[in-house]
Amino acid sequence: MAPLTNGHMNGNGLLIQSSGAANIRFSDIPSAIDIPVSGLDIEEAVEVNLEELLDDPTELCTLLENEGAAKNFWMVISLAYAKQRKVDHAIEILNKGLASLSRGGPKDKLGLLSCLCWLFLWKSREAPRVVPEGQLVSEARTKDFYLQAATGSLNEASRINPSFPPLFLARGVLSLLRASLQPPSKPLAPGAVEHSERIETLRQALKCFDDASRVSAGRNMMALLGKARALFSLGRYSDALDCYQEVLMKMPDLQDPDPRIGIGCCLWQLAYRDEARGAWERALEINPESKIANILLGLYYVNDSSKYSTTDPAFAPIYKKAMTVYTQKAFKLDKELPLTCATFGSYFLPRKAWPTVESLARRAIELTDVNAIASDGWYLLARKEHYQDHPDLSKANDFYSRADNARGGGDRGYLAARFGSAQIQVLSQDFDGAKFKLEKIIQYSKSLEAMMLLGTLYARDVFSNPVAGAKEDKSTEMKKAIALLEAVRLAWKDPKKNVNPDSSLLICLARLYEADQPEKSLQCLQQVEQMALDDIPDEEKPDDIDDSEILLSKLREQLPPQLLNNIGCFQYQVDKYDQAREMFQTALTACVRVGEKDQAIDTDALVTTISYNLARTYEAAGLLEEAKQVYEGLLARHDDYTDARTRLAYIGLRQNPSVDGPKAMAALYETDSTNLEVRALFGWYLSKAKKRAVNIAEDQEQRHFKHTLQLHDKHDRYSLTGMGNLYLTTAREMRRDTEQDKDKRRKTYEKAVEFYDKALQLDPRNAYAAQGIGIALAEDKKDFPAAVQVFSKIRDTLRDASVYINLGHVYGELKQYSRAIENYEAALAKDRAHDPQVLACLGRVWLLKGKQDKSTTAMKSALDYSHRALDIAPEQVHFKFNIAFVQIQLAQLIYALPENQRTLQEVQSASEGLDEAIESFTTIAHSKNPPYPKHDIEQRANMGRNTMRRQLERAIQSQREYEEKNASKLQQARQLREAELKKREEDKMAAEQIKEDQRKKLAEERHKLLEVSRELAERRAEEERRKEEAEYTDDEETGERVRRKKKKAGGGGGGKRKKNNHKGEESASDGEGVGSGADGAAAAGGRRKRRGKSTADDTSAAVSSDDERGQRAPKKRRKLARKAGGKSGGGGEYKSSEIVVDSDDDGEGDVGGRASNEDSGIGDERANGGSGKTEEDTTMGDADAGGNTDEEDEDEEEAVQRPRKKISRRIDDDDEDDGEEDEDEGDAVPGTSNGEVGADDGGGGGDGDEAEAEDEPETETDRQGNGNGNGNENENENESSHHNHNPKEKDKGNIFADGTGDADDVPMVDDSVGAAG
């Protein structure tokens, strides 16, 4: 049974590998076998060569039957045929063996039935999945056929012995293969448990493999591999990975099947792509002929190439490696491998090798037992059919559906197949079905391709609406289209998605934005232009041009002229005429280049359109002669070009409205009277040249528009708007004396609104019709707020001066004169700078504003605008009247002002203006057509001549007296004011100078601090070098740098250690020493603990702290004198009189601005620092007290030998940060509460302790006291320690926080900061 076990338990195909591994399948099948012959006296046997088997095994079977051979002979010969891939003969031999052994016991057939089941499973792997074309269903041998045969053999074996161990493994493999033929499960609701047929079959397979592993005590690796495969199919990739790794650990030399393949597949599904590649490369390294490893590595590199565009230089090498190095090799090793066939088919698809694609796709579908590979096969067939010049859409859609269903359909289906099906629906004109399918795709996947296609379909609905003449609102479709396409456009900016921009999407967006947001439309076209410029090859770019603008213009000549023309049109709409003109000229040059490259392309229509647009740009820019030349050139080429003739007639009317213009208009109307554009221009001409008619029915313009609507086009929007304008003008001029007149006037307004409404129904974007409705609201209904809303909306779409003029009128009626002036000014900027009507309106509104605000300045502005209007049209009598009226109003205002708010010059000027107004009124009254009745004007002139003149004469006299009387006061006040202003200016300059001096001083101090910091750093570096020289020496034997050996302290085994006194000091015993801040004292026990690791750490921290201060000069020692009396009462708390005597060694300088106690002249009184106190009484030591024990002094030598920690040098602005940094550098002091140790005399404000011992660590209290200008309160004592403040440091500004000259801890604070408490 060994060869059976080794040959069939994988279920991945029984292929003979060329590897030299020990576990090659069928490796234990002998080369020959001896079949004993019965019935002879002499024992004989027939030798059968198992390497050169007969093509027909009938003779062998007859021999075995006649000799009554045992079951092993039948199995060995059958497996020998199977080894040579003659599986049908092997099955035939086993069937005959079962018939021969039918007379024996049932257990004899058990092994043959098991072997027969495995051979059927093998045949199932190689059989087609579906019935091949041209073959009868009854004769077809499909996978399902062999699985049924295997099931029959397995059931028969199970009836004999259901607990036969090999049957567990066979049942598991059978369940796996059966599950591969079952369709994937449908999508479930979230949280639902799946119970589909395929899932239940896989769970049954998993149970069978567990049973097989159990009966073999975990030694059956094939059972473990089957379990991993079942877990993988169930989607439990982590558990499957564990199983594959377990197999690899137990059998690292296993190659057939190779667990590394499964490990890589699990890692791939878990998104560890590079690790998966590593596993497959290892499998290929062990077995270079592994077809599975080759094809999987090929797929890895295919996926890797998808990160780049096909035009990217990095794409080709990766894709070529995937196909030629790995996929092609896998195909050569096995041309029937379904995965290789599907992968290779996608390679031949873009090359349009349709027969090859068909063959490979069919092979993948028929031979695979994996649903995903079958889906790939159907997808290849669908794409092949889709790519045809005349595709069979129903057939392609069927293939796409099969590809989707093979992967489960719904949200679990094949996204690419569903997208292809939507494309087929678009080709079939089923747009609603395509949109529904694409929306479902986007709902589950957010596919950019689906979003782009769906957005294009919605855009198609928007674009087709005006063409079809439909009236339904398409704003919803437009919003959806813009949202989808903008989402795709946004994805282009994400480098992770690696999506290339698509010019067609941008052009579609430009069309969507064209009506409402032309600026965004222009941005889209400019992005398309940039993409086209980037795609120009380097060899086609000019090299001899340095000017960027000229270079850009040359490059644009290589772009599509249609794109340049569209960009020019949008620039024309936003009044960028120079840029538009340049773009149109470049487009014409591009047309010439296109025609030279391809003579077959007809560029005449494109050149004509671009030339017309160029002429319109010249016209808008005021270059009428250039525009005429272009129009005449177009007519020379196309004499029937009506649009060009129309524009020429319009230019003639503008340049010569009396002679040439009317002649050109008459000639145009005579030849093209049926053209609606010509009739519209003729109607405009009539409105300018006609004489006003009392009856509207007799008006020439009205007759013309009525004739157009009746005989040519009843929906002509220009004629409808023109009719509305006529009725609006008539209503405005109608009398309103009686109620009957008012009612008639109201009905005329309503008639005008009816025409406007009709025009808006035909074109909702007709801004001129909407403006007419706004005028009717203001004039007839007096609904000025509603009119403002209408005009404001029109202003966003219609760039015309009339909109601003109407807004100015309405704001004037609402008495919002500032806004009215703003809109009139905007109208002047819109090609109305020389329009006397707009200037007259500005004069009127300034006059109203002056009367409202009682402002002479506003009145003078009104007078100025009135003069400008008269200068442009001096023949207009009503403009003269306006000037005279403003002069009268200005005189009245100045007369009414108090004397202190006017000047004598203003009153005299008003009097002169009054005289001019009187003379003007007299002249206007005797003119031919006065604007008002003659009597009224004369009466106004008489009033000015009699009343107002006398008033102004009196005002001049009183103003002269007032100013003479107050002249001296005014002069004095003026002088005082000037002196005050001068003093303010001087104070301001002085304050600025003080600030500048302070800034310079601060900069100098900072510079000094930086210099000190650099000096300290250099000094510390020198000290480190000296320290290293002191700690290390050259080894006499090796010459290497080694640490110096520590000298052992003298003394016997007595328990107390003594230290040598410095400068005659007496040695202190352990019982009399004062606990230092670094060592601390035991709070409760009363016994000092022998320092171990913590003492060394504290000492090291002390050395590190001193290293940070940069002090490596000889030490200073303190001499302590005990206070008489020993210790005082009061619960063990007492003060000692500690006298600190500096040593005579002056090697320690004042570093970093630190002042010594000698400078301050203040004694340093310490709390709890005196001698004569036992350890039991000492609850807390002072870190700055000089009472170091002998243990500390001995630890000094140890600390010197310890490597010092590298500390970064920086300047902090906060003392708390300084404290935190020190906490990190040193160990915490034992015996403290809340991080506080004893009382400190502060170290800030430049009051450093010059007598501080070098090996004393800086406690947290020291750090907290830094820079506060005050000591911290001792929580364990009833008294606070004193702070020695050096008054000499007061003027230093920013100083070091701790005053110790620490090169590593140099935060700057202001010494004026109060105590922190």
Side-chain angles (χ1 to χ4, degrees), residues 11 44 130 401 498 583 636 650 667 670 707 709 841 933 941 1033 1068 1101 1126 1185 1211:
E44 294 182 1
V130 295
S401 299
N498 194 24
M583 198 64 67
Y650 174 74
E670 184 178 355
H707 186 72
L709 293 172
C841 290
T1033 185
I1211 297 178

Side-chain angles (χ1 to χ4, degrees), residues 877-889 892 913-927 930-945 948:
V877 179
H878 60 278
F879 290 153
K880 295 180 182 179
F881 178 86
N882 291 343
I883 294 175
F885 183 78
V886 174
Q887 288 173 334
I888 291 289
Q889 296 295 324
Q892 290 178 350
L914 177 63
D915 293 338
E916 294 178 1
I918 293 170
E919 183 179 355
S920 298
F921 282 143
T922 303
T923 305
I924 294 170
H926 294 85
S927 63
Y932 292 97
K934 178 180 178 180
H935 175 72
D936 293 344
I937 298 175
E938 289 178 347
Q939 185 178 1
R940 187 176 291 273
N942 292 331
M943 182 187 68
R945 186 179 296 111
M948 294 189 63

Side-chain angles (χ1 to χ4, degrees), residues 1073-1122:
V1074 180
S1076 66
D1079 184 28
R1087 257 182 343 197
R1088 180 186 302 276
K1089 296 183 180 180
R1090 179 68 61 185
R1091 288 195 187 186
K1093 183 176 183 300
S1094 63
T1095 305
D1097 291 341
D1098 293 341
T1099 308
S1100 176
V1103 175
S1104 175
S1105 176
D1106 286 337
D1107 288 342
E1108 294 171 7
R1109 297 186 177 91
Q1111 300 177 6
R1112 281 302 175 212
K1115 298 181 181 178
K1116 295 184 179 182
R1117 296 296 181 182
R1118 294 174 178 168
K1119 297 179 181 180
L1120 304 179
R1122 293 185 182 178

Side-chain angles (χ1 to χ4, degrees), residues 942-959:
N942 292 331
M943 182 187 68
R945 186 179 296 111
N946 299 325
T947 306
M948 294 189 63
R949 179 175 290 175
R950 288 194 295 269
Q951 290 176 347
L952 285 179
E953 288 176 354
R954 291 194 299 269
I956 291 173
Q957 183 64 28
S958 64
Q959 188 69 26

Side-chain angles (χ1 to χ4, degrees), residues 406-465:
R407 277 188 163 93
D411 59 334
R412 295 185 180 181
Y414 196 10
L415 175 62
R418 281 182 285 161
F419 182 73
S421 180
Q423 290 178 314
I424 295 297
Q425 288 180 312
V426 172
L427 294 177
S428 304
Q429 304 296 313
D430 183 12
F431 299 113
D432 292 336
K435 286 188 285 188
F436 177 77
K437 184 164 290 186
L438 290 170
E439 286 174 350
K440 296 293 288 184
I441 293 174
I442 294 172
Q443 181 180 357
Y444 291 109
S445 66
K446 303 298 181 183
S447 169
L448 296 179
E449 291 81 1
M451 294 170 69
M452 183 175 176
L453 180 57
L454 182 58
T456 305
L457 291 177
Y458 281 125
R460 175 190 171 277
D461 295 340
V462 176
F463 300 149
S464 62
N465 187 36

Side-chain angles (χ1 to χ4, degrees), residues 587-753:
L588 288 175
T589 307
C591 288
V592 176
R593 292 176 63 92
V594 171
E596 292 175 353
K597 288 183 179 180
D598 191 352
Q599 299 293 336
I601 299 178
D602 184 13
T603 59
D604 181 69
L606 190 58
V607 169
T608 302
T609 301
I610 298 174
S611 299
Y612 179 80
N613 292 338
L614 178 61
R616 289 299 304 271
T617 306
Y618 282 136
E619 195 177 340
L623 305 174
L624 300 182
E625 295 299 327
E626 288 82 353
K628 286 176 63 177
Q629 292 178 5
V630 177
Y631 289 136
E632 290 170 355
L634 289 173
L635 290 174
R637 295 168 54 195
H638 305 282
D639 56 355
D640 57 344
Y641 195 4
T642 304
D643 290 337
R645 296 183 62 195
T646 303
R647 299 312 302 175
L648 279 175
Y650 174 74
I651 293 175
L653 289 172
R654 290 188 60 183
Q655 290 182 333
N656 194 347
S658 58
V659 182
D660 295 337
K663 289 181 180 180
M665 187 71 252
L668 175 65
Y669 188 72
E670 184 178 355
T671 57
D672 295 299
S673 61
T674 59
N675 188 292
L676 293 179
E677 295 294 332
V678 174
R679 296 189 67 84
L681 180 61
F682 189 71
W684 174 84
Y685 164 69
L686 291 176
S687 67
K688 301 296 182 181
K690 71 179 181 178
K691 294 183 179 180
R692 293 186 179 180
V694 179
N695 188 2
I696 190 174
E698 299 175 358
D699 189 271
Q700 295 180 356
E701 185 182 3
Q702 190 267 351
R703 290 179 179 179
H704 173 73
F705 288 139
K706 186 176 181 180
H707 186 72
T708 302
L709 293 172
Q710 290 177 348
L711 302 179
H712 296 278
D713 185 5
K714 65 178 180 179
H715 298 303
D716 182 43
R717 292 167 290 178
Y718 188 88
S719 298
L720 290 170
T721 307
M723 291 289 286
N725 291 337
L726 282 172
Y727 279 97
L728 189 68
T729 305
T730 303
R732 184 184 297 123
E733 296 176 355
M734 292 178 67
R735 300 179 64 85
R736 63 199 84 174
D737 298 334
T738 63
E739 290 296 329
Q740 184 178 1
D741 293 338
K742 293 180 181 179
D743 185 65
K744 186 177 180 181
R745 182 172 180 267
R746 179 181 56 79
K747 290 182 178 179
T748 306
Y749 273 115
E750 291 177 354
K751 187 70 174 178
V753 171

Side-chain angles (χ1 to χ4, degrees), residues 767 770 786-798 803 807:
V788 167
Q789 294 181 2
V790 174
F791 292 138
S792 299
K793 291 181 179 180
I794 297 171
R795 182 181 54 187
D796 299 334
T797 57
L798 181 62
V803 183
L807 276 171

